[in-house]
Amino acid sequence: MKFFNSVVTKLWFTIILMVTAVLIILTIILSFYFRNYVLNSTESILEEDLHRVEELILREHDVDGLDSVQLLHEDNLILYTDNRTITPTNQIEQEIQNYVRQLDTRETTVIIDDIFDHSYMVKISYLDTFLDDSPVIIKYRDLEVINESIIGITLITIISGGIIFILTTFFAFFLISRITRPLINLKRSSFKTAQGTYNKLEVLSRDEIGELTLAFNKMNDDIEKNIAMVVHERNLREQIFNSMDEGVLYFNDSFELLYSNQKGAEMYENLKSYPEEAPLVQDNVREVMTEKSGHIERIELDSDHYQLSYTPVEITDSSYGVIILIRNITQEVNTEKMRSEFIANVSHELKTPMVMLSGYSEALLDDVVSDPEEVKEMVGIIKDESDRMNKMVNELIGLARMEAESGMIHKSSNDFMALLSKLAFKFKHDIKENDISLNINTPHDSVIFNFDYDKMENVVNNLLDNAIRYTSPGDSITIDVSIEDDITILISDTGTGIKKEHQNRIFERFYKVDESRTRGKHGTGLGLYIVKSIIESHGGSIKLESEFGVGSTFIIKFPKQ
Ligand code: ADP
């Protein structure tokens, strides 16, 4: 089957068919023409011979007077009268004579077939009008030569056919190498192109096949470029999608998930493990698909919050799909929660001292108390509360600035020991007044590294201020500075210490442990939050180790630079 589908076989078969047809037609025409030609010329020859014999007989006026020997020498001649045959006759001539005698009409030319398997052309002349014994002259010729010639022509045709067959077969092989080989190469290359392997073919000729090869090479080039472009765009899109924090899912109109970026696949897998939420997503996809309008939904999985945006997309006139954008909004939700808590806290923290300020000043104005001692105490409280409010407002402003700058710090090379000396000097008075001691232990004269001087001053200031406030007379405060793998600063006191249950929370905004234990000014609960924020913005960490009733140690670490 494959053999007959080949172009070479088809060409070869067509040529053979054409040549055979031409040869057959030619043979038929030639045979016909040759036969006519031979018959005509045979007839002319016989005619001439017959005339000659006629003249001879007529000259003598009598058949018996003829020189019988002369007539006997004449080939293919039969001479007979009504009664007898004059020329000696063989069996064939006897048959011819019988045939002519039996003719109903006076034919002058007849062709007799089947006399001993031979055909004969017979020419007859009737001399009864000239002579009394009505002689008849017959001249004949064997036509077998014509048949033999026709057989010869047919044989020549068959031999020519055979030669043409062999030549055509050779020609077909020539075609394979010259015409069909480039076509076969083109076929192979097309299959390779279909498999994604692009190769160029050598252009071997300038004919149509050469042009076809050129066109194929160009097509291959174009396909390669286009595929490379498509692959590049797909990879780019894939990278863009995979670099997104949002998960992207695409469902087709059969509700099959056809595409998802990395985040989307992870989120969808996670979502599927929640038997209540997963069918909800399927239902929403179905709804968005039928209503062809977008939809946004928020779901909570454990403590994580997600926002799912469903968007219908029209792929073709009749087919729709749905893109789901999944965003983890836990941080936003928490920030929002913290923000409202923060506002509530600030309002509460400001409201308490304001109420106290207003209450005590009103009492003073109304002369509710007259005892100078009590008046002094009241004015002291008003002062304390004003200071606390002032401190809180300053800390809030600092906090707001820090958050607005989103932790921006201006680091420069500074000596931490110099900063400590400055603050030790600043707190000298407070320390003496509260009857406590401050020791700074370090083997280094200077500890220089990159930090924001003002912010670091704020850190140590807050920690020392706390240490002084949460210690009693006779207690001590120690600052240890060491450089090993990191720069480590320990600020310890032998003060009240912090109970276990509070230890994890004291770095939270507005978190305060029992206020009644604080000495002097009331705290705002913002100090340690600010301290932690500044240290972390320097790439450092702060930890608390404390035992209630024994004391507290704040351990600060900065990476060595
Ligand atoms: P405050 O302005 O109220 O001191 P902080 O954020 O500085 O706010 O401190 C939070 C809480 O941590 C304080 O209310 C206090 O109970 C506790 N605290 C801080 N430092 C010490 C310390 N050195 N000793 C004991 N308790 C402390």
Side-chain angles (χ1 to χ4, degrees), residues 500-535:
K500 271 263 170 308
E501 66 259 35
H502 302 298
Q503 285 182 13
N504 281 335
R505 302 200 58 194
I506 53 160
F507 294 103
E508 287 176 18
R509 259 190 301 216
F510 297 109
Y511 192 81
K512 286 178 285 184
V513 187
D514 186 9
E515 277 183 50
S516 61
R517 304 183 67 86
T518 56
R519 173 165 0 128
K521 302 173 277 182
H522 296 291
T524 60
L526 286 171
L528 286 180
Y529 174 76
I530 293 169
V531 165
K532 191 169 187 254
S533 300
I534 293 173
I535 290 171

Side-chain angles (χ1 to χ4, degrees), residues 404-416:
E405 288 173 353
S406 49
M408 235 162 70
I409 46 168
H410 307 284
K411 285 202 261 185
S412 56
S413 181
N414 290 299
D415 182 6
F416 189 73

Side-chain angles (χ1 to χ4, degrees), residues 106 115 163 220 256 263 298 338 345 392 433 444 456 488 494 496 535 560:
R106 286 198 160 191
I115 298 176
I163 292 168
N220 244 355
E256 291 163 336
K263 267 270 154 51
R298 285 187 173 197
M338 268 162 67
N345 281 333
M392 188 187 287
E433 200 179 70
H444 310 285
M456 199 59 82
T488 309
T494 55
T496 59
I535 290 171
K560 205 157 75 177

Side-chain angles (χ1 to χ4, degrees), residues 7-21:
V7 175
V8 177
T9 315
K10 283 177 184 167
L11 276 172
W12 173 76
F13 197 69
T14 311
I15 291 167
I16 292 280
L17 216 67
M18 269 168 55
V19 170
T20 311

Side-chain angles (χ1 to χ4, degrees), residues 265-311:
E266 284 164 20
M267 288 172 168
Y268 191 59
E269 272 310 305
N270 181 28
L271 190 75
K272 280 203 287 191
S273 57
Y274 292 86
E276 280 180 15
E277 305 294 344
L280 196 88
V281 174
Q282 295 281 345
D283 290 348
N284 285 336
V285 169
R286 239 170 268 265
E287 199 181 306
V288 169
M289 199 94 78
T290 40
E291 288 182 6
K292 297 188 182 45
S293 67
H295 174 73
I296 292 180
E297 190 171 74
R298 285 187 173 197
I299 55 173
E300 192 182 341
L301 306 177
D302 292 335
S303 53
D304 283 338
H305 298 262
Y306 294 94
Q307 177 171 292
L308 283 80
S309 311
Y310 299 80
T311 313

Side-chain angles (χ1 to χ4, degrees), residues 103-120:
L103 284 173
D104 296 335
T105 50
R106 286 198 160 191
E107 303 281 346
T108 53
T109 309
V110 283
I111 290 172
I112 309 167
D113 297 315
D114 286 341
I115 298 176
F116 301 112
D117 291 335
H118 280 226
S119 300
Y120 294 91

